[in-house]
Amino acid sequence: MVVHEEGEIMQTEQDPTMELSKCKGGHLACADCRVERPGNQRQCQKCERGGGFDVWNTVVDSVLSSVRVECPHEGCGLYVTYHKLADHQSVCSLAPCKCPVPVCSYKGPPPALYHHISTAHPMPVHRIQYGKVLQLQVPLSEPRLLLFAEEDRRAFFLVGGVLDISAPIVVSVVCIRARASPLPHYVAKLWANGPPGEPKGTTDAIKVEMEVTSSKDPGNIDVQELTFLTVPPKLLAGAKLVSLHIQIDKLTS
């Protein structure tokens, strides 16, 4: 941890040193700023003669490696080494995500999407519990809805589309968060039931299990690029709604 000038204790991430080196011309550079060239993998960009790096400036390296900045994402509050900020932002669980509703320009942390969509758009919003089955009636005309898990305030986007004439609808699930996010991961089970058959009243069903893809822009994802559930015409029987069951499991290892 790091203590602020006013005595406030800040949460930090532990990072290795920057490996700051000095070239023969006296210029300083971190590992990311060195130019790799054939025959000389550590080349100074400032030297006209292309001086190589042969001295590791441990004093300056130690000072710069201790400088930490706050993640700018609303609600995060994490302080990281400044040269690692971009890496943290790419996996931050509170990185701003786009609203999946077409033409809407709203961007905010995933937990805020639940309130935004439920108050600003007519899109259906359902709460879901991990490991439990949720039954949904999804309109064929617009198979889109938001699922919200209160356990970790995670938002999921159920998205559908048309594959071809013989398969009126395909359905998949997207987790609304940074694509490079670490654990936890999520697995979704989706299945659809058709109307009761004859003569014993049985129903046809089709099921798929998939690892849930993550995206900060779920509205622009093509469902055909994902693992999806295909609902064949015989399970629809002319209905305007498709009866779907979904279960999302949270994996922490």
Side-chain angles (χ1 to χ4, degrees):
M1 65 179 61
V2 173
V3 179
H4 193 270
E5 293 178 356
E6 300 177 359
E8 178 185 1
I9 297 178
M10 306 173 184
Q11 183 182 6
T12 63
E13 286 183 348
Q14 297 299 320
D15 290 310
T17 58
M18 293 177 59
E19 296 184 4
L20 192 71
S21 299
K22 183 171 67 174
C23 76
K24 296 177 181 179
H27 302 120
L28 298 174
C30 67
D32 293 337
C33 294
R34 298 168 194 154
V35 178
E36 294 189 7
R37 294 180 180 176
N40 186 356
Q41 295 184 350
R42 291 155 61 99
Q43 182 107 3
C44 178
Q45 300 183 62
K46 295 292 185 180
C47 290
E48 294 181 359
R49 295 175 297 174
F53 292 91
D54 58 0
V55 179
W56 181 22
N57 195 315
T58 58
V59 176
V60 178
D61 185 25
S62 177
V63 172
L64 292 181
S65 295
S66 66
V67 176
R68 300 181 186 272
V69 293
E70 184 179 8
C71 173
H73 296 156
E74 180 182 352
C76 179
L78 189 69
Y79 280 76
V80 297
T81 306
Y82 85 95
H83 65 285
K84 294 292 184 180
L85 181 60
D87 292 338
H88 165 72
Q89 287 181 279
S90 69
V91 300
C92 180
S93 61
L94 294 174
C97 297
K98 292 184 179 180
C99 173
V101 176
V103 309
C104 181
S105 60
Y106 175 84
K107 292 178 66 175
L113 286 174
Y114 171 77
H115 176 75
H116 166 75
I117 291 177
S118 61
T119 57
H121 301 295
M123 177 184 293
V125 178
H126 299 269
R127 297 185 180 184
I128 191 169
Q129 292 180 289
Y130 296 129
K132 294 188 177 182
V133 177
L134 177 66
Q135 184 174 2
L136 302 167
Q137 297 295 322
V138 181
L140 295 176
S141 60
E142 192 173 0
R144 289 168 169 252
L145 55 84
L146 188 76
L147 304 173
F148 185 73
E150 291 188 335
E151 177 182 315
D152 55 2
R153 299 181 61 77
R154 184 66 62 198
F156 298 88
F157 184 48
L158 183 77
V159 57
V162 176
L163 189 61
D164 54 46
I165 297 177
S166 62
I169 182 175
V170 293
V171 184
S172 191
V173 183
V174 178
C175 180
I176 305 178
R177 63 173 179 171
R179 180 176 289 272
S181 296
L183 292 172
H185 294 157
Y186 302 92
V187 172
K189 300 179 179 71
L190 275 169
W191 65 98
N193 293 329
E198 296 292 344
K200 297 182 180 180
T202 59
T203 60
D204 291 321
I206 186 167
K207 184 175 183 179
V208 68
E209 181 173 334
M210 67 188 76
E211 182 175 348
V212 178
T213 297
S214 298
S215 174
K216 293 195 294 185
D217 188 7
N220 284 330
I221 284 186
D222 185 350
V223 68
Q224 297 184 42
E225 298 177 355
L226 307 171
T227 302
F228 53 79
L229 171 72
T230 302
V231 183
K234 68 177 183 178
L235 296 191
L236 300 175
K240 295 182 179 180
L241 300 172
V242 57
S243 178
L244 291 179
H245 295 74
I246 181 170
Q247 176 181 321
I248 297 179
D249 297 318
K250 180 179 179 180
L251 307 180
T252 57
S253 61

